[in-house]
Amino acid sequence: MSKKKERKIKRLQRLSIWPTILGMIITELVIFIFAVFSCGISLAGIINSAIINTTKDCYKVVNYVNKNWSAEENARIKLEESLENFSNSYDDIWEIHLDYKNDIFKKFPKLENQIEAEDLLSFNENGVMYLIDEEQEESFLGLTARFETEDDLQTWIDFHNDLNNTKIEPDVKIDYNLGTIFKSFNPVYVLTDKDFISWSFKEAPVFHAIALYKTSVPDLNVCFKIHYKINFYQANLMATILLFFFIVIIVSGIYEIIKVISLVHEKKRVNKLVNTDPITGGKNSNYFIQKSKKEISKFRRHYAIVQLRLEKYRNYCTAYGNRKGENLLEELNLAMLNYISKKELVAHVEKSDFALLLFYTNKEAFEIRLRNLMNILQEKNIDEHLSFSAGVCIVDSKNDDVSNLLSYAGIAIPKEIKVQNEIVWFNDSMKEELIWERHIEDDMEKALENHDFKVFLQPKYSTKKEVLSAAEALVRWTHPTLGFISPGKFIPLFEKNGFILKLDDYMLTEVSRLQAGWLNEGKQLVPISVNVSRAHFAEENLAEHICSIVDGFNVPHEFIELELTESAFFDDKEVLLTTVRKLKSFGFKVSMDDFGAGYSSLNSLKELPLDIIKLDAEFFRSVDDISRSNLIVGDTITLAKKLGMQIVAEGIETREQVDFLAKQDCDLIQGFYFSKPLPVNEFEEKAFGKE
């Protein structure tokens, strides 16, 4: 998996709900603060309205006193008696007293302990001074209930006695302290009692204050005992506002909670999507790696990682179809899940490969268990004749990188199946090979740029005159640090990673450059064959591509021979045939390399319009029955001749082989008997002689 893809998956998995939760908390807090602020503003407005109205009433009384004041005692007594009418007329003004020469302490003796006499002169710019109500500190939150008559008080006492099953004697006081009431009643009964609710609205809470108002008469003030009362309308307004914001908070809270729940479900859905294999419906490699890391980090038990491969899966899909192939993988995944224990893991990782994290005790027991698993998978699909192979890598430490271990297990899987259900254990030599391959892949582009790949030419000699008549271009690589690297090691690697396409172009370019140089020097050219990889023949415009390279050096096409391997015939046959025909029409000669090795068939000779076939060297090496081998070689040469093809025999090392091939009318011979592959300068000496 690429680093970019891994980071993207991690970002998806780290989809956090905390920002949403924090947003929900902040939203609810803002709504709550706004509600409290709005309610506070509303309450302040209500209280301010009550204070303004009461202040107007107080000034009316002050004006009345200014007009009717007399210092005579009798007149003063009559004035105070007349002020009782004002207190009865205004709901908020309970008592009115005249304060002449600071005799307010006679009316409210408790104030004497709270303020100094000279402080009574500290009136504000409106001539008003607010004092502490002696009852304010005794009441509960400054709230009192007022009972207009003793009958009202008795009604409340009877209600209280019935509610709490207690006995309270009537009190002559008109004011009954609500602090005691609130502590004694049962809220459930009160909230369901219509009479009490009706009474509570009539006798709404009040705020106490004592205020002194200056008059125009020297040393005369009017003292008011004020109860700022919240009326029925104001109480309903406050209740409505509180209810509205309570509903807003509830609704917004429900909305935010739904958002969090949706995000939690989305996170689960994303994690499931990221960790699910689309073919088997089970877990994928990402889940396997992440979960294995957690299990291994605990290191409570020893583990081994297995990469199990269903062999010849491609053939199975060709025979039965891709859908049935995917169904088979799904069945195998389910069967393995049923076989492993709870703390073990299985996941489909690629193509027909599965990754398993299994408990490990010792090598023998582990192999027995793994073979049992393979047998179970075969028995469940006995009609398909399935075969498996496995690579195993032991987990040595809790800090081991699971991705690397899985790669090692994949490397251990045998490339060629020698026995059924083969199990191969990863070892240090494989790791060294992996490191070597990594090193080669890191340096291959640089080697191409620096021309570290060198062209060697192996001469081909005619059987008639035994003179140099052609050559084959072979690549050699001398690495700056690794030294000489055999083509047998790096060519298969390049074919696997696709770099072989660039190397093909490089070799064709270098050979064309050599031919162009010799042509300019007036030397007699000989055809040089260049290998074209199997992967290149998959390109529909290959013939045009080759032509453009050769024409860039103005080399006649008949001096460039293009070699293909017979394995290319088993890919896209139509594209191959079209490409060969185009190359021949452009004047190039086309040959088939290694004929007779592996999958050779007469069918390829019949369908491919080839110019040359090269007999594989294995025809002439370690042959037990030389007469039988010679018979096959002779008949093959005869057949090729009848088809108008030239014959090249490679790997020739003895004089007897040369004489035999000459008798069979073989055209060219290539091998160590005449010459090994040569550097360009040595080839020039052989081909053109010393100057």
Side-chain angles (χ1 to χ4, degrees):
M1 182 187 301
S2 67
K3 293 290 184 182
K4 184 177 181 181
K5 183 178 179 182
E6 187 176 357
R7 287 195 298 268
K8 188 174 182 180
I9 289 174
K10 286 182 178 179
R11 281 198 302 270
L12 287 172
Q13 290 179 313
R14 283 199 299 262
L15 184 64
S16 177
I17 64 172
W18 287 110
T20 302
I21 292 177
L22 183 61
M24 179 188 73
I25 293 173
I26 293 173
T27 301
E28 292 301 305
L29 187 61
V30 168
I31 292 174
F32 177 77
I33 292 173
F34 181 70
V36 171
F37 177 76
S38 300
C39 290
I41 292 294
S42 301
L43 181 61
I46 292 170
I47 293 174
N48 187 58
S49 175
I51 291 174
I52 290 173
N53 291 333
T54 304
T55 301
K56 291 179 181 178
D57 295 337
C58 290
Y59 277 121
K60 289 179 182 178
V61 174
V62 170
N63 291 332
Y64 177 79
V65 170
N66 287 335
K67 292 178 182 179
N68 297 283
W69 167 254
S70 174
E72 296 180 1
E73 185 175 353
N74 290 335
R76 212 171 43 190
I77 292 172
K78 288 182 180 180
L79 181 59
E80 287 184 347
E81 290 176 352
S82 65
L83 292 178
E84 292 183 4
N85 294 328
F86 283 96
S87 61
N88 293 330
S89 300
Y90 301 123
D91 291 336
D92 292 339
I93 300 176
W94 280 26
E95 298 178 21
I96 305 174
H97 304 284
L98 294 177
D99 173 25
Y100 186 59
K101 294 183 178 181
N102 297 335
D103 61 353
I104 188 64
F105 295 124
K106 296 178 183 179
K107 300 293 183 182
F108 302 100
K110 290 185 179 182
L111 293 177
E112 192 171 3
N113 299 326
Q114 300 172 14
I115 59 175
E116 300 295 335
E118 57 267 20
D119 291 337
L120 295 176
L121 301 177
S122 303
F123 290 91
N124 62 24
E125 65 273 11
N126 297 317
V128 182
M129 178 191 300
Y130 289 96
L131 305 175
I132 298 174
D133 183 0
E134 74 278 9
E135 293 184 359
Q136 182 79 11
E137 294 180 340
E138 298 174 358
S139 64
F140 179 74
L141 298 177
L143 302 175
T144 64
R146 181 179 181 187
F147 299 93
E148 298 294 343
T149 64
E150 292 188 12
D151 290 338
D152 292 338
L153 175 61
Q154 186 61 49
T155 300
W156 168 251
I157 292 172
D158 292 340
F159 169 78
H160 181 278
N161 291 341
D162 293 340
L163 190 64
N164 298 284
N165 197 23
T166 58
K167 183 67 177 177
I168 295 179
E169 295 296 332
D171 194 333
V172 294
K173 290 183 179 179
I174 298 302
D175 287 342
Y176 190 85
N177 194 316
L178 272 182
T180 305
I181 298 174
F182 288 158
K183 293 177 183 177
S184 60
F185 67 56
N186 187 324
V188 176
Y189 288 99
V190 170
L191 292 175
T192 56
D193 189 283
K194 294 181 180 179
D195 294 333
F196 175 75
I197 293 173
S198 177
W199 167 83
S200 67
F201 274 115
K202 291 178 182 178
E203 301 297 336
V206 296
F207 298 89
H208 297 223
I210 294 177
L212 286 179
Y213 280 69
K214 290 184 69 173
T215 66
S216 58
V217 180
D219 297 327
L220 178 65
N221 303 313
V222 181
C223 178
F224 295 92
K225 185 175 182 180
I226 305 170
H227 288 190
Y228 295 107
K229 184 177 179 181
I230 298 175
N231 59 36
F232 177 79
Y233 169 77
Q234 293 167 334
N236 273 280
L237 179 61
M238 281 296 301
T240 302
I241 293 172
L242 288 172
L243 179 62
F244 172 75
F245 282 107
F246 180 73
I247 292 173
V248 169
I249 290 173
I250 292 294
V251 171
S252 63
I254 292 173
Y255 172 74
E256 295 294 338
I257 290 172
I258 290 173
K259 276 177 60 178
V260 172
I261 293 173
S262 299
L263 187 62
V264 170
H265 283 296
E266 180 66 13
K267 181 178 173 64
K268 289 182 178 179
R269 191 186 70 82
V270 169
N271 284 338
K272 185 176 181 181
L273 185 64
V274 167
N275 294 322
T276 299
D277 178 67
I279 294 176
T280 65
K283 302 303 181 182
N284 60 12
S285 58
N286 176 68
Y287 175 86
F288 180 85
I289 291 171
Q290 299 300 326
K291 189 69 173 177
S292 295
K293 283 180 181 178
K294 292 181 181 179
E295 290 298 325
I296 291 173
S297 64
K298 300 172 185 176
F299 215 66
R300 295 172 182 169
R301 300 189 62 168
H302 290 284
Y303 289 95
I305 288 181
V306 179
Q307 187 155 332
L308 181 68
R309 176 170 297 167
L310 170 62
E311 296 294 344
K312 299 182 179 179
Y313 175 68
R314 185 176 179 182
N315 293 348
Y316 183 92
C317 292
T318 302
Y320 299 105
N322 290 333
R323 179 61 63 84
K324 191 167 182 181
E326 292 178 357
N327 292 341
L328 174 62
L329 294 180
E330 184 177 355
E331 292 173 10
L332 295 177
N333 185 77
L334 184 59
M336 283 186 276
L337 282 173
N338 294 331
Y339 181 78
I340 65 175
S341 63
K342 186 177 180 181
K343 292 294 182 180
E344 296 177 320
L345 301 173
V346 62
H348 178 236
V349 290
E350 59 176 340
K351 297 180 181 177
S352 62
D353 287 12
F354 291 87
L356 296 98
L357 180 71
L358 303 177
F359 297 136
Y360 175 81
T361 52
N362 59 71
K363 186 173 181 179
E364 292 180 1
F366 190 88
E367 283 199 6
I368 291 172
R369 187 180 179 212
L370 192 52
R371 291 190 193 282
N372 286 339
L373 173 60
M374 293 178 179
N375 291 333
I376 289 172
L377 298 178
Q378 288 171 330
E379 290 171 1
K380 283 184 172 293
N381 301 273
I382 194 169
D383 294 335
E384 279 84 6
H385 302 290
L386 305 181
S387 62
F388 298 87
S389 59
V392 184
C393 185
I394 298 174
V395 180
D396 295 318
S397 166
K398 66 178 181 180
N399 298 319
D400 284 350
D401 190 314
V402 176
S403 299
N404 289 340
L405 296 179
L406 186 57
S407 296
Y408 297 158
I411 292 167
I413 296 177
K415 303 299 182 291
E416 296 180 3
I417 305 302
K418 298 177 182 177
V419 296
Q420 192 174 18
N421 295 348
E422 187 173 1
I423 299 172
V424 180
W425 295 75
F426 181 80
N427 54 45
D428 290 339
S429 64
M430 294 179 184
K431 187 173 183 179
E432 291 172 2
E433 182 71 16
L434 181 66
I435 294 172
W436 181 87
E437 288 186 3
R438 182 72 267 170
H439 197 173
I440 292 300
E441 290 184 331
D442 289 341
D443 293 344
M444 59 189 185
E445 293 283 356
K446 188 186 298 182
L448 201 65
E449 294 174 6
N450 297 337
H451 292 269
D452 290 338
F453 295 107
K454 301 298 182 183
V455 175
F456 274 57
L457 299 170
Q458 187 170 23
K460 300 176 186 177
Y461 283 79
S462 67
T463 57
K464 302 299 182 184
K465 299 180 181 180
E466 295 188 3
V467 294
L468 195 155
S469 304
E472 178 181 7
L474 302 170
V475 63
R476 296 292 183 263
W477 184 12
T478 302
H479 193 276
T481 57
L482 300 177
F484 176 76
I485 304 175
S486 170
K489 294 191 70 175
F490 66 79
I491 292 295
L493 179 61
F494 291 171
E495 288 177 340
K496 185 168 62 176
N497 62 27
F499 186 72
I500 193 67
L501 300 178
K502 292 185 177 181
L503 187 60
D504 283 353
D505 289 349
Y506 173 86
M507 291 295 292
L508 181 60
T509 301
E510 292 301 304
V511 169
S512 298
R513 182 179 285 112
L514 283 174
Q515 294 280 53
W518 293 332
L519 188 63
N520 291 335
E521 293 172 5
K523 294 176 179 178
Q524 181 62 44
L525 301 185
V526 295
I528 298 179
S529 61
V530 181
N531 288 283
V532 181
S533 68
R534 176 179 179 176
H536 239 136
F537 277 96
E539 299 177 1
E540 294 184 359
N541 64 339
L542 176 61
E544 291 81 0
H545 176 68
I546 291 173
C547 197
S548 66
I549 293 175
V550 176
D551 289 347
F553 295 93
N554 296 318
V555 176
H557 293 181
E558 64 265 24
F559 294 109
I560 299 294
E561 178 188 325
L562 303 169
E563 288 190 9
L564 60 93
T565 58
E566 193 178 15
S567 58
F569 188 74
F570 297 97
D571 292 327
D572 193 329
K573 188 190 305 183
E574 292 301 322
V575 173
L576 176 63
L577 290 172
T578 301
T579 300
V580 170
R581 291 190 184 107
K582 281 184 180 180
L583 288 171
K584 286 176 66 65
S585 69
F586 292 154
F588 295 102
K589 289 187 177 182
V590 181
S591 64
M592 178 181 288
D593 194 15
D594 300 329
F595 183 82
Y599 301 97
S600 294
S601 68
L602 296 177
N603 201 40
S604 60
L605 291 182
K606 181 190 74 172
E607 296 194 35
L608 281 174
L610 300 169
D611 299 296
I612 303 165
I613 61 171
K614 294 181 69 176
L615 297 177
D616 187 67
E618 291 301 319
F619 275 118
F620 312 102
R621 291 177 185 166
S622 304
V623 179
D624 294 332
D625 190 346
I626 189 65
S627 61
R628 186 182 181 89
S629 176
N630 288 343
L631 179 61
I632 295 173
V633 170
D635 287 346
T636 303
I637 293 174
T638 301
L639 178 61
K641 287 289 185 179
K642 289 181 179 180
L643 292 173
M645 301 177 184
Q646 284 186 314
I647 304 296
V648 178
E650 57 182 344
I652 304 305
E653 299 177 351
T654 67
R655 186 68 216 182
E656 290 78 8
Q657 293 171 339
V658 173
D659 292 339
F660 167 75
L661 291 168
K663 289 180 182 179
Q664 299 299 320
D665 202 20
C666 178
D667 297 293
L668 297 172
I669 292 175
Q670 177 182 342
F672 279 16
Y673 178 78
F674 285 110
S675 177
K676 64 180 181 179
L678 301 172
V680 172
N681 59 338
E682 293 183 20
F683 176 82
E684 288 177 332
E685 291 180 7
K686 272 187 175 291
F688 311 120
K690 294 183 180 180
E691 295 183 0

